[in-house]
Amino acid sequence: MNVIQTEFMKLKGSLSWLVVVLLPVMAVLSGSLSTLSSGGEFQDGWHTLWIRSIGFYGMALLPIGVGILASLVWRPEHRNGNWNALMSQSVPTQQVVLSKVVAISTLTAAMQVVMLLTVLLLGKLAFQIPGWLPGTYWLGSLLIVVGCIPVVALQSAFSTFLRSFAAPVAIALVGAGASTVALMVGVPAAIASPYALATYTTQLGTTLVGGESTVFNAAAMSPGSVAMVAVVSALAVTLITWLTTQILNRKDATT
């Protein structure tokens, strides 16, 4: 059976789906409630709701969520001798690495879908915001998935070599925090960090009419910014998966 199909079969009944639903729902609810509790209103309609939802989500919850998902996807391989069974398959190591990245990326994409649906439901049913979510944010959601794949590849690599469930998640927390600080102070090279790229992507085009954005200046959603995210993501994923494959091959050869 194809290794990717096998990975998707493993996801059936997995706790990963609980993470996929809870984290984005928490982000949207907390952003909305914080606006209301501070006496604010959704003056810019969908723009306000989206910014309040995506801010903390993109800077912390999303990278941490990816870390949790990666740990959950790799957890069965580190138990009951499954590691030997995985590495003894008659498939190239690169396919094993990529199959995990594809599985975690699919879960990450599902998490973004849940967030979109939650924003739409709250906006229409709870807050009765007129119209619909602007097309920029639909495109932004697709781009967020692309921008998150380097984090997926990196967290998958950590979960490959670390048997601990919590250690890769802790790395994601530190990486997300450090990258957000780097973006806040305007470090030009910060975008090379997978965590910073993911956070940067979530904030694209999220400036309100009054000029308000998140804790750092959000770039506009433009052909240039979209192309940059796509190119940096592709290069980072290629490098990370290649390094993971090389290290796995060397580790397998010495055991």
Side-chain angles (χ1 to χ4, degrees), residues 19-45:
V19 177
V20 165
V21 173
L22 285 181
L23 283 186
V25 169
M26 287 170 52
V28 178
L29 287 176
S30 62
S32 303
L33 293 176
S34 65
T35 300
L36 295 175
S37 63
S38 62
E41 298 179 358
F42 296 99
Q43 295 180 348
D44 284 335

Side-chain angles (χ1 to χ4, degrees), residues 1-7 10 74 77 82-93 95-97 99-100 252:
M1 182 180 292
N2 184 285
V3 287
I4 294 179
Q5 291 179 324
T6 302
E7 288 303 321
K10 292 177 183 178
W74 274 100
E77 317 303 348
N82 288 343
W83 179 266
N84 292 333
L86 177 70
M87 297 310 296
S88 62
Q89 296 181 94
S90 57
V91 295
T93 304
Q95 287 190 25
V96 175
V97 172
S99 68
K100 294 291 187 182
D252 190 45

Side-chain angles (χ1 to χ4, degrees), residues 9 19 44 56 90 108-109 128 137 140-141 160 184 193 218 220 243 245:
M9 289 182 63
V19 177
D44 284 335
F56 182 62
S90 57
T108 303
Q128 299 180 338
Y137 300 136
S141 292
T160 302
M184 288 172 61
S193 161
L243 286 173
T245 301

